[in-house]
Amino acid sequence: MTSDAIPGTGPLSREQIEAIEATLLPTLDRHHLRLQAHCLATFQHMARPVVQGPLPNRQRWQSWCKQQPQLVDDPDFLELLMIQFTVIAIQLEDLANNLGISPLELSLNDLIRHSESDSRQRLESSKSS
C-alpha cells in the first residue's frame, strides 16, 4: 500500500483515485479502470522489490492473499479475487506487450491512456453504425 493510500481503497493513493475520477470516461469504463489499477498496484506490491518483468503467478497471488487478514476467513471472496486477478492479468499483459514494456512497468497513466483510447474507438464505431 502506498503511504497516501485511502483506507478501504487498497493500494491506490488519493492522487491515483482522483486521476481515474478526473477522466471523462463513462462510469462503467472508470469502474473497469479502477479494477485494473487496483490489480496492477497489487501485483506490483506482490513483486517488490522487482519493478520490471512478468506479473507474479497464481501461486504468488494465493500466498500473498493468505497473508492478508481480511481475506483469510473468506474463501468465497478469495476465489472470486483469483478469477479477477486472472482476467486483469491477461489484460495487463496484452497492454504491456502492445506498449513494448514488461507488465510490472505499466503505470496508471498507461492504463488511463489505453482506456480513453478504447472508449473513443467504441464511440466512433457506434457513430458509424
Side-chain angles (χ1 to χ4, degrees):
M1 208 181 295
T2 62
S3 60
D4 194 27
I6 301 169
T9 63
L12 299 179
S13 70
R14 179 178 314 280
E15 291 80 17
Q16 290 171 313
I17 292 169
E18 289 171 356
I20 292 168
E21 292 307 313
T23 67
L24 298 176
L25 293 168
T27 302
L28 189 58
D29 290 346
R30 274 197 323 270
H31 176 68
H32 185 252
L33 176 57
R34 277 190 298 274
L35 286 174
Q36 287 182 324
H38 185 276
C39 288
L40 175 61
T42 301
F43 292 146
Q44 289 169 332
H45 180 78
M46 287 178 197
R48 284 184 191 154
V50 176
V51 295
Q52 70 181 76
L55 298 174
N57 62 27
R58 185 178 177 99
Q59 182 179 358
R60 179 67 184 115
W61 304 345
Q62 291 172 326
S63 173
W64 182 85
C65 286
K66 288 178 183 176
Q67 297 172 14
Q68 308 308 307
Q70 66 273 32
L71 299 176
V72 172
D73 295 326
D74 197 345
D76 293 334
F77 178 76
L78 184 57
E79 187 52 37
L80 290 173
L81 184 59
M82 291 299 108
I83 293 167
Q84 179 180 311
F85 279 171
T86 301
V87 170
I88 300 295
I90 292 167
Q91 294 170 1
L92 295 174
E93 289 166 349
D94 288 346
L95 176 57
N97 187 49
N98 289 339
L99 295 175
I101 60 176
S102 73
L104 287 177
E105 293 175 273
L106 286 169
S107 69
L108 177 58
N109 287 335
D110 294 326
L111 299 180
I112 289 172
R113 281 191 296 271
H114 178 71
S115 293
E116 289 174 337
S117 175
D118 276 359
S119 186
R120 276 192 303 276
Q121 287 176 352
R122 279 195 316 277
L123 182 60
E124 289 170 6
S125 69
S126 70
K127 285 181 180 179
S128 63
S129 301

